[in-house]
Coordinates of all heavy atoms in Angstrom, one line a residue:
Chain A
P307 N 84.1 50.9 95.2 CA 84.5 49.6 94.8 C 83.4 48.9 94.0 O 82.2 49.3 94.2 CB 84.8 48.8 96.1 CG 83.9 49.6 97.1 CD 83.7 51.0 96.7
V308 N 83.7 47.9 93.3 CA 82.5 47.2 92.6 C 82.0 46.2 93.5 O 80.8 45.7 93.4 CB 83.0 46.5 91.3 CG1 83.4 47.6 90.2 CG2 84.1 45.6 91.5
A309 N 82.9 45.8 94.5 CA 82.4 44.7 95.5 C 83.2 44.9 96.7 O 84.2 45.5 96.8 CB 82.5 43.4 94.9
G310 N 82.6 44.4 97.8 CA 83.3 44.3 99.1 C 82.8 45.4 100.1 O 81.9 46.1 99.8
S311 N 83.4 45.2 101.2 CA 82.9 46.2 102.4 C 84.1 46.5 103.1 O 85.2 45.8 103.2 CB 81.9 45.4 103.2 OG 82.5 44.8 104.3
V312 N 84.0 47.7 103.7 CA 85.0 48.1 104.7 C 84.2 48.6 105.9 O 83.3 49.5 105.8 CB 85.7 49.4 104.1 CG1 86.7 49.9 105.3 CG2 86.4 49.0 102.9
T313 N 84.4 48.0 107.1 CA 83.7 48.4 108.3 C 84.7 49.0 109.3 O 85.8 48.5 109.4 CB 82.9 47.3 108.9 OG1 83.8 46.2 109.2 CG2 81.8 46.7 108.0
L314 N 84.3 50.0 109.9 CA 84.9 50.6 111.0 C 84.0 50.6 112.1 O 83.0 51.1 112.2 CB 85.3 52.1 110.7 CG 86.0 52.9 111.7 CD1 87.3 52.3 112.2 CD2 86.2 54.3 111.2
D315 N 84.4 49.9 113.4 CA 83.7 49.8 114.5 C 82.3 49.1 114.1 O 81.3 49.6 114.6 CB 83.4 51.1 115.2 CG 84.7 51.7 115.7 OD1 85.6 50.9 116.1 OD2 84.8 52.9 115.5
G316 N 82.3 48.3 113.2 CA 81.1 47.7 112.7 C 80.1 48.3 111.8 O 79.1 47.9 111.5
V317 N 80.6 49.7 111.5 CA 79.8 50.5 110.6 C 80.4 50.4 109.1 O 81.6 50.6 109.0 CB 79.7 52.0 111.1 CG1 78.9 52.8 110.2 CG2 79.3 52.0 112.5
E318 N 79.5 50.2 108.2 CA 80.0 50.1 106.9 C 80.5 51.6 106.3 O 79.8 52.5 106.5 CB 78.8 49.6 105.9 CG 79.2 49.5 104.5 CD 80.2 48.4 104.1 OE1 80.1 47.3 104.7 OE2 81.2 48.8 103.6
L319 N 81.6 51.6 105.7 CA 82.1 52.9 105.2 C 81.8 52.9 103.6 O 81.7 54.0 103.2 CB 83.6 53.0 105.4 CG 84.0 53.1 106.9 CD1 85.5 53.5 106.9 CD2 83.3 54.2 107.6
V320 N 81.8 51.7 103.1 CA 81.6 51.8 101.5 C 80.3 52.5 101.2 O 79.2 52.1 101.9 CB 81.6 50.4 100.9 CG1 81.2 50.4 99.5 CG2 83.1 49.9 101.0
G321 N 80.2 53.4 100.3 CA 79.0 53.9 99.9 C 78.7 55.3 100.6 O 77.8 56.0 100.3
R322 N 79.6 55.6 101.6 CA 79.4 56.9 102.3 C 80.4 58.0 101.6 O 81.3 57.6 101.0 CB 79.7 56.7 103.7 CG 78.7 55.7 104.4 CD 79.0 55.4 105.8 NE 78.8 56.5 106.7 CZ 79.0 56.6 108.0 NH1 79.8 55.5 108.5 NH2 78.7 57.5 108.8
S323 N 79.9 59.1 101.9 CA 80.8 60.3 101.3 C 82.1 60.4 102.0 O 82.2 60.0 103.2 CB 80.0 61.6 101.3 OG 79.8 62.0 102.7
V324 N 83.0 61.1 101.4 CA 84.2 61.3 102.2 C 84.0 62.1 103.4 O 84.6 61.8 104.5 CB 85.2 62.3 101.2 CG1 86.5 62.6 101.9 CG2 85.3 61.5 99.9
R325 N 83.1 63.0 103.3 CA 82.8 63.8 104.6 C 82.3 62.9 105.7 O 82.7 63.1 106.8 CB 81.7 64.9 104.2 CG 81.5 65.9 105.2 CD 80.4 66.8 104.7 NE 79.7 67.4 105.8 CZ 78.4 68.0 105.6 NH1 78.0 68.1 104.5 NH2 77.9 68.5 106.7
D326 N 81.4 62.0 105.4 CA 81.0 61.1 106.4 C 82.0 60.2 106.9 O 82.1 59.9 108.1 CB 79.9 60.2 105.8 CG 78.5 61.0 105.6 OD1 78.5 62.1 106.1 OD2 77.6 60.4 104.8
V327 N 82.9 59.8 106.1 CA 83.9 58.9 106.5 C 84.9 59.6 107.4 O 85.3 59.0 108.5 CB 84.7 58.2 105.3 CG1 85.9 57.5 105.7 CG2 83.8 57.4 104.5
L328 N 85.3 60.8 107.0 CA 86.1 61.5 107.9 C 85.4 61.9 109.3 O 86.0 61.8 110.4 CB 86.4 62.9 107.3 CG 87.3 62.9 106.0 CD1 87.4 64.2 105.4 CD2 88.7 62.4 106.3
H329 N 84.2 62.1 109.1 CA 83.5 62.4 110.4 C 83.3 61.1 111.3 O 83.2 61.3 112.5 CB 82.0 62.9 110.0 CG 81.4 63.7 111.1 ND1 82.0 64.8 111.7 CD2 80.2 63.5 111.8 CE1 81.2 65.3 112.6 NE2 80.1 64.5 112.8
A330 N 83.4 60.0 110.6 CA 83.3 58.8 111.4 C 84.6 58.5 112.2 O 84.7 57.5 113.0 CB 83.0 57.6 110.5
G331 N 85.6 59.4 112.0 CA 86.8 59.3 112.7 C 88.1 58.7 112.0 O 88.9 58.2 112.6
V332 N 88.0 58.8 110.6 CA 89.1 58.4 109.8 C 90.1 59.5 109.5 O 89.5 60.6 109.1 CB 88.7 57.7 108.5 CG1 89.8 57.4 107.7 CG2 87.8 56.5 108.8
G333 N 91.3 59.4 110.0 CA 92.3 60.4 109.7 C 93.0 60.0 108.4 O 93.4 58.8 108.2
F334 N 93.2 60.9 107.5 CA 93.8 60.5 106.2 C 95.0 61.3 105.8 O 94.8 62.6 105.7 CB 92.6 60.5 105.1 CG 93.1 60.0 103.8 CD1 93.2 58.7 103.5 CD2 93.5 60.9 102.7 CE1 93.6 58.2 102.3 CE2 93.8 60.4 101.5 CZ 93.9 59.0 101.3
V335 N 96.1 60.7 105.7 CA 97.2 61.5 105.3 C 97.6 61.0 103.8 O 97.9 59.9 103.6 CB 98.5 61.2 106.1 CG1 99.7 62.0 105.6 CG2 98.3 61.6 107.5
P336 N 97.2 61.9 102.9 CA 97.3 61.4 101.4 C 98.7 61.3 100.9 O 99.7 61.8 101.5 CB 96.6 62.5 100.7 CG 96.7 63.7 101.5 CD 96.8 63.3 102.9
E337 N 98.8 60.4 99.9 CA 100.1 60.1 99.3 C 100.8 61.3 98.7 O 102.0 61.5 98.9 CB 99.8 59.0 98.3 CG 100.8 58.7 97.3 CD 100.2 57.7 96.3 OE1 99.5 56.8 96.7 OE2 100.5 57.8 95.1
D338 N 100.0 62.1 98.1 CA 100.7 63.2 97.4 C 100.3 64.5 98.1 O 99.2 65.1 97.9 CB 100.2 63.3 95.9 CG 100.8 64.5 95.2 OD1 101.5 65.3 95.8 OD2 100.8 64.4 94.0
R339 N 101.1 65.0 99.1 CA 100.5 66.0 100.0 C 100.3 67.4 99.3 O 99.5 68.1 99.6 CB 101.5 66.1 101.2 CG 102.7 67.0 100.9 CD 103.6 67.1 102.1 NE 105.0 67.0 101.5 CZ 105.7 65.9 101.5 NH1 105.1 64.8 102.0 NH2 106.8 65.9 101.0
S340 N 101.1 67.7 98.2 CA 101.0 68.9 97.6 C 99.7 69.0 96.7 O 99.2 70.0 96.6 CB 102.2 69.3 96.7 OG 102.4 68.3 95.7
T341 N 99.3 67.8 96.3 CA 98.0 67.8 95.5 C 96.8 67.6 96.3 O 95.8 68.3 96.2 CB 98.0 66.7 94.4 OG1 99.3 66.8 93.6 CG2 96.9 66.7 93.6
D342 N 96.9 66.6 97.2 CA 95.6 66.3 97.9 C 95.7 66.6 99.4 O 94.7 66.6 100.0 CB 95.6 64.7 98.0 CG 95.4 64.2 96.5 OD1 94.8 64.9 95.7 OD2 96.0 63.2 96.2
G343 N 96.9 67.0 99.9 CA 96.9 67.3 101.4 C 96.7 68.7 101.7 O 96.0 69.0 102.7
V344 N 97.3 69.7 101.0 CA 97.3 71.1 101.4 C 96.9 71.9 100.2 O 97.0 71.4 99.1 CB 98.6 71.7 101.9 CG1 99.0 70.9 103.2 CG2 99.7 71.5 101.0
I345 N 96.2 73.0 100.5 CA 96.0 74.0 99.4 C 97.0 75.0 99.5 O 97.2 75.8 100.5 CB 94.5 74.6 99.6 CG1 93.5 73.4 99.5 CG2 94.3 75.6 98.6 CD1 92.2 73.8 99.6
A346 N 97.9 75.1 98.4 CA 99.0 75.8 98.4 C 98.8 77.3 98.8 O 99.5 78.0 99.5 CB 99.7 75.8 97.1
D347 N 97.7 77.9 98.2 CA 97.5 79.4 98.4 C 96.4 79.6 99.5 O 95.9 80.6 99.6 CB 97.2 80.1 97.1 CG 96.3 79.5 96.3 OD1 95.5 78.6 96.7 OD2 96.1 79.9 95.1
F348 N 96.2 78.6 100.3 CA 95.5 78.9 101.6 C 96.5 79.0 102.7 O 97.6 78.5 102.7 CB 94.6 77.6 102.0 CG 93.1 77.8 101.4 CD1 92.9 78.4 100.3 CD2 92.2 77.2 102.1 CE1 91.5 78.5 99.8 CE2 90.8 77.2 101.7 CZ 90.6 77.9 100.5
S349 N 96.1 79.8 103.7 CA 97.0 80.0 104.9 C 97.1 78.7 105.6 O 96.3 77.8 105.5 CB 96.5 81.1 105.7 OG 95.3 80.7 106.4
I350 N 98.2 78.7 106.5 CA 98.3 77.5 107.3 C 97.1 77.2 108.2 O 96.7 76.2 108.3 CB 99.6 77.7 108.1 CG1 100.8 77.6 107.2 CG2 99.7 76.6 109.2 CD1 102.1 78.2 107.9
A351 N 96.6 78.4 108.8 CA 95.4 78.2 109.6 C 94.3 77.7 108.9 O 93.5 76.8 109.4 CB 95.1 79.6 110.2
E352 N 94.0 78.1 107.6 CA 92.9 77.6 106.8 C 93.2 76.1 106.5 O 92.3 75.3 106.6 CB 92.8 78.4 105.5 CG 92.2 79.8 105.8 CD 92.1 80.6 104.6 OE1 93.0 80.6 103.8 OE2 91.0 81.2 104.3
N353 N 94.5 75.8 106.1 CA 94.7 74.4 105.9 C 94.5 73.5 107.1 O 94.2 72.3 106.8 CB 96.2 74.3 105.4 CG 96.3 74.4 103.9 OD1 95.7 73.6 103.1 ND2 97.0 75.4 103.4
L354 N 94.7 74.1 108.2 CA 94.5 73.2 109.4 C 93.0 72.9 109.7 O 92.7 72.0 110.6 CB 95.1 73.9 110.6 CG 96.6 73.7 110.6 CD1 97.3 74.7 111.7 CD2 97.1 72.3 111.0
I355 N 92.0 73.5 109.1 CA 90.7 73.2 109.3 C 90.0 72.8 108.0 O 88.7 72.8 108.0 CB 89.9 74.4 109.9 CG1 90.0 75.6 108.9 CG2 90.5 74.8 111.3 CD1 88.8 76.6 109.1
L356 N 90.7 72.3 107.0 CA 90.0 72.0 105.8 C 88.9 71.1 105.9 O 87.7 71.3 105.3 CB 91.1 71.3 104.8 CG 91.9 72.2 103.9 CD1 92.6 71.3 102.9 CD2 91.0 73.2 103.2
D357 N 89.0 70.0 106.7 CA 88.0 69.1 106.9 C 87.0 69.4 108.1 O 86.0 68.7 108.2 CB 88.5 67.6 107.0 CG 89.5 67.6 108.1 OD1 90.0 68.6 108.6 OD2 89.9 66.4 108.4
L358 N 87.4 70.3 108.9 CA 86.6 70.6 110.0 C 85.9 72.0 110.0 O 85.2 72.4 110.9 CB 87.6 70.6 111.3 CG 88.2 69.3 111.6 CD1 89.1 69.4 112.8 CD2 87.0 68.3 112.1
H359 N 86.1 72.7 108.8 CA 85.6 74.1 108.8 C 84.1 74.3 109.1 O 83.7 75.3 109.4 CB 86.0 74.7 107.4 CG 85.2 74.1 106.3 ND1 85.4 73.0 105.6 CD2 84.0 74.7 105.8 CE1 84.6 72.9 104.7 NE2 83.7 73.8 104.8
R360 N 83.4 73.2 108.8 CA 81.9 73.5 109.0 C 81.4 73.0 110.4 O 80.3 73.3 110.7 CB 81.2 72.6 107.9 CG 81.5 71.2 107.8 CD 80.6 70.4 106.9 NE 81.1 70.2 105.7 CZ 80.5 70.5 104.4 NH1 79.3 71.1 104.4 NH2 81.1 70.2 103.3
Y361 N 82.3 72.6 111.3 CA 81.8 72.2 112.6 C 82.3 73.2 113.6 O 83.2 73.9 113.4 CB 82.4 70.8 112.8 CG 82.1 69.7 111.9 CD1 83.1 69.2 111.1 CD2 80.8 69.3 111.6 CE1 82.8 68.2 110.1 CE2 80.5 68.4 110.7 CZ 81.5 67.8 109.9 OH 81.2 66.8 109.0
E362 N 81.6 73.0 114.7 CA 82.0 73.8 116.0 C 83.5 73.3 116.3 O 83.7 72.2 116.0 CB 81.1 73.5 117.1 CG 79.7 74.0 117.0 CD 79.6 75.4 117.6 OE1 80.5 75.9 118.3 OE2 78.5 76.0 117.4
P363 N 84.3 74.1 116.8 CA 84.1 75.6 117.1 C 84.4 76.5 116.0 O 84.4 77.6 116.2 CB 85.1 75.8 118.3 CG 86.3 74.8 117.9 CD 85.7 73.7 117.2
F364 N 84.8 75.9 114.8 CA 85.3 76.8 113.7 C 84.1 77.5 113.0 O 84.4 78.4 112.3 CB 86.2 76.0 112.8 CG 87.2 75.3 113.5 CD1 87.4 73.9 113.4 CD2 88.2 75.9 114.3 CE1 88.4 73.3 114.1 CE2 89.1 75.3 115.0 CZ 89.2 73.9 114.9

Side-chain angles (χ1 to χ4, degrees):
Chain A
V308 294
S311 92
V312 180
T313 56
L314 173 62
D315 299 321
V317 179
E318 180 63 53
L319 294 185
V320 166
R322 298 174 74 184
S323 69
V324 177
R325 189 178 150 195
D326 287 348
V327 172
L328 292 173
H329 201 56
V332 176
F334 185 77
V335 178
E337 165 182 319
D338 183 345
R339 76 182 144 265
S340 59
T341 304
D342 300 322
V344 296
I345 295 181
D347 47 14
F348 265 31
S349 71
I350 292 164
E352 287 175 316
N353 268 296
L354 282 166
I355 59 156
L356 271 192
D357 52 348
L358 294 174
H359 71 273
R360 53 173 104 227
Y361 304 114
E362 291 269 350
F364 306 122

